[in-house]
Amino acid sequence: MTDRALVVVRAGALTTVQDRGRPGYAHLGVPRSGALDPRAAALVNRLAGNPPDAAVLETTLDGCALRPRSTVTVAIGGAPCPVTVGGRPAAWGAPVTVPAGALLEVGAAVAGVRAYVAVSGGIAVEPVLGSRATDLLSGLGPAPLTDGRVLPLGTPAGPPARVDAVPQPRPPAELVLRVTPGPRDDWFTARAVRELTTRAYRVSSASNRIGLRTEGPALERARTGELPSEGMVLGAVQVPPDGRPVVFLADHPTTGGYPVIAVVRGADLPAAAQAVPGTTVRFVAVRRR
Amino acid sequence: MRAFPVGDDALLVEVASGEQAQALHAELLRRRAEGSLTVREIVPAARTVLLDGLADPVRWASELTSSEIPPAPPRARELIELPVRYDGPDLAEVAAHWKVSEHEVARIHAGTEFTVAFCGFAPGFGYLTGLPARYDVPRRATPRTAVPVGAVALAGPYTGVYPRSSPGGWQLIGTAEAVLWDHARVPAALLSPGARVRFVPVGEA
């Protein structure tokens, strides 16, 4: 008899269960959540033989260590990092067999922030509103991993991909985020709008799954007063009173009262999820498609 | 009405009042139900409705700003009754703002029919409108680090009920016993935008 479960030996700084999130409930105040780097999550699922919506683990900077109770196929991608199985080096970005009881160690990221760990069968915690994602803003979904926790695994859907390795984008040395202006660019001075797209910002260490916070020139408001709460989108560049833009990521609040000066293209957000604190950020204005 | 494209696949539609936002929300839900509008999220707020996950927001901007939005159909939704004890720690402060007695605060609040204008802040937290503008109250100067679950609270023109314990700066006037949010229940949220709500006092404040 096999025991399809995964023991968390070292949870790491912040490791969460993620999938494609729970879109469709924003009107009830439920963030979309889901993997911050969905391309990497989809890729490791494919490598491990999982469907694209299987739940994976998302680590933050320092990886994690796991011991499966039955033999599983795993795949690790996103942020590049050393991988060992039973103390021996194993492949990153390719299917790896972990025998029952062996220790899988996902090391600290050598670049980027978030590594993704897919396990054949997927992490089978109970879904909430159709998703197993941990939402750090509203507390829906499973709590972040803790040492000693046991995670149930689902039944493998198919064989692992037959590849040795697949190319994955390197985390960016400089983060370039294409933005379309608005909807509230008129709340800022013309100079502030120009500054956003011509000056350099840096990724702040206060960034998290809710937003990529930046350090750099403060953007000056043309209007004072409060904006009545309005709906917020993924990638919104919201400017709080300190003037430093915040790019909304998956766990962002569904409504907010600070003006949104511009919106980042969705295709650029996976790179934002992998930008380490201190990385230079440039916002580049593009035309709406 | 003004409409602002938001990124490549969303549209923020702004109207002049909360009532118009509720009417626009009802109309957009109707269009989605009849199949003429395909969109992932319809998010009403104070003066706006956001359409997110929308193909061709620029076309929808001109379509919506040139169409007549009928007023929200009255009493279209069932009335949700929330049993409440008016025992909040800020009852005296709210009474002072309203220049009435604490007992009168409870009577006025329980005598009002509210509408869930929109949700936000936390899953299942509704912003309820219905009190006349003269009963607006400011937020507390110092937010509480933990507002208890079920707290019935006022801020600005809104009434809200905390679906779980969280920090908060609203003025607490009572306690509701209903479960506002239970993700194992269908629907998870007791209050959704457009719902009608009445607070029913239980026991003595």
Side-chain angles (χ1 to χ4, degrees), chain A residues 23-30 32 128-129 137-140 180 183-184 228-233 254-255 263 265 288-289, chain B residues 4-8 10 12 14 40-43 45-48 50 52 118-120 122-124 164 181 183 188-189 192-193:
Chain A
Y25 299 99
H27 62 291
L28 301 177
V30 176
R32 79 171 61 204
V128 172
L129 300 180
L137 182 76
S138 66
L140 296 185
T180 50
R184 298 296 180 187
S229 268
E230 61 190 29
M232 291 283 145
V233 299
T254 57
T255 60
V263 177
R265 281 241 167 116
R288 191 161 276 115
R289 280 190 301 235
Chain B
F4 310 89
V6 179
D8 289 320
L12 185 70
E14 184 177 54
R40 188 178 59 239
E41 310 265 13
I42 300 178
V43 189
R47 299 278 182 278
T48 57
L50 173 72
D52 193 7
F118 60 100
C119 293
R164 56 172 188 178
W181 176 263
H183 57 247
S192 61

Side-chain angles (χ1 to χ4, degrees), chain A residues 113-210:
Chain A
V113 178
R114 295 172 173 97
Y116 291 85
V117 184
V119 182
S120 52
I123 309 295
V125 294
E126 199 56 36
V128 172
L129 300 180
S131 167
R132 300 181 164 91
T134 300
D135 165 2
L136 293 179
L137 182 76
S138 66
L140 296 185
L145 265 51
T146 48
D147 295 353
R149 178 133 164 240
V150 179
L151 297 170
L153 294 173
T155 307
R162 274 186 287 180
V163 293
D164 291 333
V166 293
Q168 295 195 44
R170 296 288 296 184
E174 180 179 276
L175 182 62
V176 177
L177 298 176
R178 291 169 294 172
V179 295
T180 50
R184 298 296 180 187
D185 48 330
D186 61 336
W187 278 60
F188 298 87
T189 62
R191 184 171 160 220
V193 174
R194 207 165 49 242
E195 275 190 329
L196 175 75
T197 52
T198 53
R199 302 279 298 272
Y201 285 82
R202 279 179 317 282
V203 175
S204 159
S205 57
S207 300
N208 54 27
R209 284 184 45 84
I210 297 162

Side-chain angles (χ1 to χ4, degrees), chain B residues 23 33 58 60 72 82 104 116 118-119 122 126 132-133 146 151 154 157 159 170 192 203-204:
Chain B
V58 175
W60 275 102
L82 293 180
E104 190 66 1
V116 181
F118 60 100
C119 293
L154 305 182
T159 288
W170 291 33
S192 61
E204 271 306 297

Side-chain angles (χ1 to χ4, degrees), chain A residues 5-34:
Chain A
L6 201 57
V7 180
V8 178
V9 176
R10 181 178 68 85
L14 174 66
T15 301
T16 59
V17 177
Q18 295 299 336
D19 56 16
R20 295 194 291 193
R22 42 184 79 81
Y25 299 99
H27 62 291
L28 301 177
V30 176
R32 79 171 61 204
S33 192

